[in-house]
Amino acid sequence: LEDSMIISYLKSLTFLSKEEIEELEKKHLEHPELREAHKALAKEIITDLHGIDSYNKAVMMSEALFTGKFTDLDRSEIAELFKDYNKVEVTNGTNILDLLINMGAASSKREAREFVMGNAVSINGEKVTDIEYTISEKDFLDDAYIIIRRGKKNYYIGMRG
């Protein structure tokens, strides 16, 4: 949402008190980069429509995407978070370079090598810098998924093969 509209939305779409909205407006004007008013609006709407458990789940899942740490998510949460992503079958013993190519994260071994050596690849939130790295049992989250991140926003999902 546009920053200029957030307080108006808080007033019209939530049941927050006048004082609570004024406090959020003050925080928003002083530190808009913290997005506290935006977060408050999201919390109020999600909680009103779906309940506090759904809100907490949404926060946990968005934090996982933001931080790249997925170890706290279970199989169903990972499936929900990445439901629109293509999933590639992954087997134990696959080299990281081959994995990146198979998943479409790299177009060649040379490019895959550059990504790994350039500190641009993580598996389940853990950086991989060894081009000899091979996939093993420990890499599968909840015994099912591997989440590869290349760069800051490029995710690729592998399923146990």
Side-chain angles (χ1 to χ4, degrees):
L1 298 174
E2 293 181 35
D3 286 352
S4 62
M5 295 298 297
I6 195 69
I7 301 303
S8 175
Y9 287 135
L10 281 168
K11 290 176 182 175
S12 62
L13 298 176
T14 71
F15 297 106
L16 293 174
S17 70
K18 181 181 178 206
E19 293 78 19
E20 290 171 310
I21 293 173
E22 287 172 352
E23 180 65 25
L24 286 167
E25 184 173 23
K26 179 182 173 197
K27 289 178 180 179
H28 176 67
L29 292 173
E30 290 174 358
H31 296 286
E33 72 278 5
L34 297 178
R35 304 183 60 76
E36 289 194 38
H38 293 75
K39 292 174 185 175
L41 178 63
K43 179 180 182 180
E44 292 301 311
I45 290 174
I46 293 171
T47 301
D48 286 347
L49 294 175
H50 302 287
I52 192 69
D53 290 340
S54 292
Y55 168 75
N56 290 334
K57 184 176 180 179
V59 168
M60 179 179 65
M61 292 170 81
S62 67
E63 285 178 4
L65 278 175
F66 183 74
T67 63
K69 300 287 184 187
F70 300 97
T71 53
D72 292 337
L73 300 180
D74 66 27
R75 185 182 306 207
S76 65
E77 291 165 341
I78 293 169
E80 184 178 338
L81 189 61
F82 294 104
K83 67 183 173 201
D84 296 328
Y85 284 69
N86 290 331
K87 293 164 185 71
V88 175
E89 191 172 291
V90 178
T91 57
N92 285 338
T94 303
N95 175 271
I96 186 66
L97 303 180
D98 294 327
L99 179 66
L100 292 173
I101 293 168
N102 294 343
M103 293 184 129
S107 59
S108 66
K109 282 203 177 192
R110 180 196 55 76
E111 186 178 51
R113 197 175 300 109
E114 286 176 10
F115 290 145
V116 172
M117 292 173 67
N119 207 26
V121 176
S122 65
I123 296 178
N124 305 327
E126 299 296 323
K127 290 285 184 185
V128 175
T129 56
D130 178 8
I131 60 172
E132 300 299 322
Y133 187 90
T134 57
I135 301 304
S136 66
E137 294 291 321
K138 67 178 175 32
D139 294 312
F140 291 93
L141 294 174
D142 204 15
D143 203 35
Y145 293 104
I146 290 179
I147 302 170
I148 302 294
R149 184 167 93 174
R150 191 198 79 218
K152 291 188 178 198
K153 298 181 181 179
N154 300 303
Y155 288 98
Y156 304 88
I157 311 306
M159 294 180 63
R160 178 182 289 286

